[in-house]
Amino acid sequence: MKLLIVAGGGGHFTPALALIEKLPKEWEILVVGRKYSLEGDSALSLEYQTAKRLNLPFKTITTGRLQRRLTSHTFSSLAKIPVGFFQSLQLVRNFKPDVLISFGGYLSVPVVLASRSFGVPIVIHEQTLGAGLANKISAHVADKVCISWKSSERFFPREKIVLTGNPLKTKQNESTVDLPSGREPLIYITGGSAGSHAINRLIEGCLEKLLQHYRVVHQTGDAKEFADYDRLQTVQKSLPIELQKHYVITKFFAPTEALTVLQKADLVIARSGMGTLTELLSLGKPALFIPLPYGQHNEQLTNALFAQKVGIAEVVQQDSLTSGLLYATIEKMLQRLSEYTKHSADAKLLIKPDAAEHIIEVINDVSKQQNN
């Protein structure tokens, strides 16, 4: 089997990597993804760096997105869309895949359309509670649509839907994870693979106070525009030695490393992308979500409120948040930690642990149908 895998962004790459972990060893794969985390920024993407480290065959294409906000990159991004399609045609022609599995994101659309033009069977995977724009477009030409949640059914043709769940990484790599010393509660702060400048600034405003009572692991991202990592490293060095030991800062974690930190953390502060949400539900881990304040249909707010309803999370809106309010919320949650952990079992029941295996079955089925 020759499997072409496309994941158009960090959050879309997480289930792709979980699937790769479970694929038969004899399958030949090619991963298509982004080289850079943000448009107009030179920071390398998590998927590019992870694929390079794991020696995964990885290709990038130059394409654009349909942006919902007018930015300095809007028109140049639109101009890249036809470029991405022709690059995708060449990529599919050269690799000759038996099946394409797409995990969504703007980069996936030209690869899906190019694959269809060559008659390649197409499976797409939707990990959100709803449906992403790229997957809505791709579903028109897909053979099967794997969904993670029953609530996504209304967005796709019923005859194409298979409820598989959202694949999660299971392997850890504890030897490469540096955790702060001490016995204080451990807080893990993450803005996703690209980091979050807004969250980084909020944490910076209460960092010294946090470190007086807690240990903190902080994944900042590596956006060159903001230089949060470098600035926070300077802040760390200005702190008393004992507080410095309570703080570990990194640009990003590999998915296996992030899993280890999530398991060790007492509380997670994060954006509420579906990959993060699924991991936290699977671990039953208490979380404080700061949803991305923009995005299609307030997707991250929907995700965060879902976890809050389960009982393991609280939600605060970025626009009304200050460093002081953030610290007070963190302190209140850690004082009431048992109220969240008592819902851990309920959270874990929502996750399908064999999601990757189900998707592999779907891939095999569409491949067999193509050959019959």
Side-chain angles (χ1 to χ4, degrees):
M1 172 80 74
K2 295 182 71 174
L3 182 65
L4 185 61
I5 303 169
V6 58
H12 303 280
F13 185 64
T14 301
L17 199 59
L19 178 73
I20 291 169
E21 182 183 285
K22 299 291 185 179
L23 290 176
K25 300 302 180 186
E26 66 272 15
W27 285 20
E28 182 182 351
I29 67 169
L30 176 63
V31 182
V32 184
R34 305 173 305 173
K35 185 172 183 178
Y36 301 105
S37 295
L38 301 171
E39 198 159 15
D41 197 290
S42 61
L44 295 173
S45 71
L46 171 64
E47 54 268 35
Y48 179 82
Q49 295 185 64
T50 301
K52 189 173 182 180
R53 192 183 67 257
L54 297 177
N55 292 317
L56 296 175
F58 190 89
K59 292 286 186 181
T60 64
I61 61 171
T62 301
T63 193
R65 69 177 82 200
L66 298 173
Q67 298 183 350
R68 294 169 179 79
R69 297 181 304 153
L70 190 64
T71 72
S72 59
H73 303 294
T74 297
F75 297 110
S76 61
S77 184
L78 289 172
K80 294 174 186 174
I81 291 176
V83 176
F85 177 68
F86 287 111
Q87 288 181 345
S88 298
L89 284 172
Q90 184 176 16
L91 187 151
V92 174
R93 184 187 297 115
N94 291 341
F95 184 62
K96 297 180 175 61
D98 296 302
V99 178
L100 166 71
I101 172 74
S102 170
F103 288 90
Y106 73 97
L107 182 141
S108 68
V109 176
V111 185
V112 167
L113 295 177
S115 296
R116 175 50 64 204
S117 69
F118 282 105
V120 176
I122 297 166
V123 177
I124 64 174
H125 177 266
E126 177 58 61
Q127 64 172 323
T128 74
L129 292 162
L133 177 60
N135 276 346
K136 286 180 181 178
I137 295 170
S138 297
H140 292 291
V141 297
D143 296 275
K144 289 293 180 182
V145 179
C146 298
I147 60 174
S148 302
W149 310 92
K150 194 171 178 59
S151 55
S152 293
E153 284 183 342
R154 68 185 188 276
F155 297 101
F156 302 110
R158 184 169 298 277
E159 68 278 6
K160 295 183 179 183
I161 293 172
V162 184
L163 179 60
T164 61
N166 195 26
L168 287 171
K169 289 287 292 178
T170 57
K171 293 181 180 177
Q172 299 180 48
N173 188 4
E174 294 196 36
S175 62
T176 61
V177 179
D178 182 23
L179 296 177
S181 59
R183 295 178 175 271
E184 295 82 0
L186 179 64
I187 301 170
Y188 176 37
I189 301 158
T190 174
S193 61
S196 165
H197 177 59
I199 291 177
N200 292 341
R201 276 297 194 184
L202 287 164
I203 291 297
E204 184 178 353
C206 61
L207 181 60
E208 185 168 359
K209 197 173 181 181
L210 277 174
L211 296 176
Q212 290 170 0
H213 305 284
Y214 311 111
R215 295 177 297 145
V216 174
V217 176
H218 188 178
Q219 182 260 317
T220 64
D222 189 29
K224 306 302 182 185
E225 178 183 358
F226 305 116
D228 288 341
Y229 175 79
D230 294 334
R231 190 182 64 258
L232 283 161
Q233 267 199 323
T234 301
V235 171
Q236 180 184 29
K237 292 172 184 176
S238 71
L239 296 171
I241 295 297
E242 281 306 307
L243 296 189
Q244 290 185 36
K245 294 177 181 177
H246 285 181
Y247 188 48
V248 167
I249 182 172
T250 185
K251 293 178 181 178
F252 73 94
F253 282 116
T256 49
E257 296 167 343
L259 176 60
T260 298
V261 181
L262 285 172
Q263 290 180 321
K264 301 284 187 182
D266 295 289
L267 177 69
V268 177
I269 301 169
R271 291 298 196 198
S272 46
M274 185 48 73
T276 300
L277 179 70
T278 306
E279 287 181 323
L280 291 172
L281 288 172
S282 73
L283 296 170
K285 188 67 61 175
L288 174 58
F289 285 123
I290 307 172
L292 195 68
Y294 49 86
Q296 50 181 313
H297 310 302
N298 261 336
E299 176 188 303
Q300 289 210 1
L301 178 59
T302 300
N303 295 344
L305 292 174
F306 178 77
Q308 185 179 52
K309 187 175 181 180
V310 173
I312 66 165
E314 297 292 347
V315 183
V316 288
Q317 297 277 21
Q318 178 179 304
D319 293 343
S320 60
L321 197 56
T322 64
S323 294
L325 180 57
L326 177 59
Y327 177 82
T329 307
I330 293 169
E331 191 172 48
K332 185 178 180 181
M333 288 190 71
L334 284 166
Q335 289 171 353
R336 301 167 48 204
L337 209 57
S338 61
E339 295 183 25
Y340 301 101
T341 55
K342 72 181 181 183
H343 297 288
S344 292
D346 295 332
K348 293 176 182 179
L349 288 174
L350 297 171
I351 303 302
K352 296 181 181 295
D354 54 357
E357 287 84 353
H358 282 178
I359 294 172
I360 292 170
E361 289 176 7
V362 174
I363 292 170
N364 273 318
D365 286 345
V366 299
S367 176
K368 289 176 183 175
Q369 289 171 14
Q370 174 78 358
N371 295 324
N372 286 341

